[in-house]
Amino acid sequence: MMQRWSRKKSHFPLAVFVLLVFITCSILYNETSIKQIHEHPDHLPRKPQTTVTYIEPNLVTHSTRVPEVLDRFVRCNVTKDYSGKKIQWVDRKPKLGQRSESLESCDVFSGKWVFDNKSCPLYNESDCPYMSDQLACHKHGRSDLGYQYWRWQPHNCNLKRWNVTEMWEKLRGKRLMFVGDSLNRGQWISMVCLLQSVIPADKRSMSPNAPLTIFRAEEYDATVEFLWAPLLVDSNSDDPVNHRLNERIIRPDSVLKHSSKWEHADILVFNTYLWWRQGPVKLLWSNEENGVCEELDGLGAMELAMESWADWVASKANSLEKRVFFVTMSPTHLWSREWKPGNEGNCYNEKFPIDWEGYWGSGSDLPTMRMVERVLSRLGSTVSVLNITQLSEYRKDGHPSIYRKFWETLSPDQLSNPMTYSDCIHWCLPGVPDNG
């Protein structure tokens, strides 16, 4: 059965701790398993023979026809039902004994949140010049700062103390890149805010907002980068600003547009989830010449995308000597009745974590989790999993709610009812992403 993907002074942030352990010693032990049911063939119902077309992903074509680059102006000429095509990706199963444990041999993702206003927060919101207005909750009116003072405490071990200089030494001469959606962008901002304080202003820089945004520390010849790729595969939503579209179109068999940027990084941290929860997805295969799309539900489309991504990881990551991490789904807190029966609110005005060990809300979709686990298990130790889901499930108090900059104009009805426009998806900073 799948594990539920679940901080004394100045402790390491959780994600940073795991990254540092991997850089200095080995690969995080990722104990995942899928129960397999073995039945005698005579007892299995006979199914009609069906032909499945397998598509080899991430092909670099040398023909005269190059697949159209997907951008926000691309449209489907025709949309038909999903044909059943599957991704035929490189499957390199790990050898026995290939996995290794971290030195402490402790599940750092199993634990509880403890109140600690002495060592938390690890930085002040106003001291980070790279803070996002989407995540700067105190700046935008949140007066209760309790969300900044909770520290993650594993059940059977302690997290190492945070040392920013030590972290920079481990990153010296390297490129650390976060790839994914706005939640991974928040994790990237958290990392930059944690690291930037010891770098003199004239020795650091941030590139303008673009699909690839780069924080550079000159003294260490190191960068901490973010690549906007919310669906991992090529899509019409790859503009980091103009991506709110009525029709979501992906190229399910190609990550090449993005991998041409991420393949140059030394440490890669991927995520994808919420964008697959917004309804059906249009598939425009690379070999399609007439703009004919197929329509598939979000979970099915995500599985195709994950397999195309996994093909790149399986075929390239080891040969390119990269450390690859995958961040599990970040939960939402949209329905307070899930932790407070009878209440019809959301994360608005919530001030404390959920004190209910093992709490699991509808914001973390189990079928999606199982699918992701199936794909990651086939990659073995090539990918290390940052299992943030369970520990984040408890933090209904950590979202921006109404305390952030909203890019769209709010209606009078919304303003009169804060719950209707509360952001219960992203995380305030300082907060959950860095107060591990």
Side-chain angles (χ1 to χ4, degrees), residues 91-99 377-382:
D91 186 1
R92 297 181 178 172
K93 292 184 173 63
K95 297 179 181 179
L96 292 177
Q98 188 173 0
R99 295 174 187 251
S377 66
R378 289 174 62 187
L379 288 168
S381 59
T382 307

Side-chain angles (χ1 to χ4, degrees), residues 91-283:
D91 186 1
R92 297 181 178 172
K93 292 184 173 63
K95 297 179 181 179
L96 292 177
Q98 188 173 0
R99 295 174 187 251
S100 58
E101 297 185 39
S102 64
L103 292 179
E104 293 188 87
S105 186
C106 171
D107 182 1
V108 297
F109 302 105
S110 176
K112 63 180 180 179
W113 291 95
V114 296
F115 189 79
D116 182 355
N117 60 359
K118 294 183 178 180
S119 61
C120 297
L122 294 175
Y123 59 89
N124 292 319
E125 178 188 295
S126 59
D127 292 339
C128 182
Y130 310 107
M131 179 61 64
S132 167
D133 274 333
Q134 190 180 31
L135 311 175
C137 301
H138 182 50
K139 173 183 176 180
H140 289 278
R142 183 164 181 174
S143 58
D144 67 293
L145 300 182
Y147 66 92
Q148 298 185 4
Y149 301 134
W150 293 92
R151 171 174 58 81
W152 179 251
Q153 176 62 55
H155 285 315
N156 300 314
C157 59
N158 293 317
L159 297 179
K160 189 178 178 181
R161 294 167 65 95
W162 167 244
N163 185 313
V164 62
T165 304
E166 181 182 353
M167 185 64 182
W168 272 123
E169 286 298 336
K170 302 307 177 186
L171 291 175
R172 183 181 291 276
K174 292 183 172 62
R175 294 179 63 178
L176 166 60
M177 186 184 294
F178 294 80
V179 182
D181 59 22
S182 57
L183 287 158
N184 226 22
R185 179 165 54 198
Q187 191 66 62
W188 166 69
I189 293 171
S190 165
M191 180 69 80
V192 171
C193 289
L194 285 163
L195 289 170
Q196 62 85 30
S197 62
V198 298
I199 308 298
D202 62 343
K203 299 293 184 180
R204 67 188 188 215
S205 63
M206 180 73 81
S207 67
N209 186 36
L212 180 60
T213 308
I214 303 173
F215 175 79
R216 188 180 305 277
E218 182 180 321
E219 178 182 352
Y220 292 94
D221 186 29
T223 60
V224 183
E225 312 177 25
F226 174 70
L227 176 63
W228 174 260
L231 300 161
L232 296 184
V233 292
D234 306 351
S235 81
N236 67 341
S237 302
D238 293 336
D239 187 306
V241 177
N242 299 309
H243 49 246
R244 298 190 178 187
L245 307 170
N246 293 326
E247 187 175 63
R248 193 81 64 208
I249 304 173
I250 68 168
R251 204 174 294 290
D253 56 336
S254 177
V255 300
L256 295 178
K257 179 168 61 174
H258 302 309
S259 65
S260 65
K261 299 179 179 69
W262 77 46
E263 68 182 4
H264 303 293
D266 301 286
I267 307 162
L268 287 158
V269 184
F270 293 95
N271 93 309
T272 188
Y273 171 53
L274 281 176
W275 280 57
W276 302 102
R277 307 269 288 165
Q278 301 177 13
V281 178
K282 303 293 180 68
L283 314 178

Side-chain angles (χ1 to χ4, degrees), residues 12-61:
F12 257 127
L14 181 56
V16 175
F17 169 77
V18 178
L19 287 169
L20 182 54
V21 168
F22 273 73
I23 297 168
T24 56
C25 50
S26 184
I27 296 174
L28 177 66
Y29 180 68
N30 173 30
E31 184 65 40
T32 59
S33 64
I34 300 174
K35 290 186 177 179
Q36 298 180 342
I37 301 174
H38 298 282
E39 299 182 79
H40 193 280
D42 291 342
H43 298 141
L44 292 172
R46 300 215 175 253
K47 298 181 180 179
Q49 294 280 334
T50 57
T51 301
V52 177
T53 301
Y54 286 92
I55 304 298
E56 186 176 351
N58 305 317
L59 289 177
V60 179
T61 179

Side-chain angles (χ1 to χ4, degrees), residues 123-126 128 131-148 189 193 347 349-350 395-406 422-434:
Y123 59 89
N124 292 319
E125 178 188 295
S126 59
C128 182
M131 179 61 64
S132 167
D133 274 333
Q134 190 180 31
L135 311 175
C137 301
H138 182 50
K139 173 183 176 180
H140 289 278
R142 183 164 181 174
S143 58
D144 67 293
L145 300 182
Y147 66 92
Q148 298 185 4
I189 293 171
C193 289
C347 71
N349 212 29
E350 293 287 350
R395 295 303 306 274
K396 60 181 172 61
D397 61 311
H399 298 288
S401 180
I402 65 172
Y403 304 108
R404 50 158 286 191
K405 180 176 180 178
F406 289 89
S422 289
D423 179 352
C424 300
I425 296 174
H426 301 93
W427 302 100
C428 296
L429 289 179
V432 173
D434 43 36

Side-chain angles (χ1 to χ4, degrees), residues 53 88 99 194 222 229 265 268 275 294 311 339 347 372 387 408:
T53 301
Q88 184 176 352
R99 295 174 187 251
L194 285 163
L268 287 158
W275 280 57
E294 300 175 4
D311 172 79
W339 62 84
C347 71
V372 170
N387 302 326
E408 66 276 10

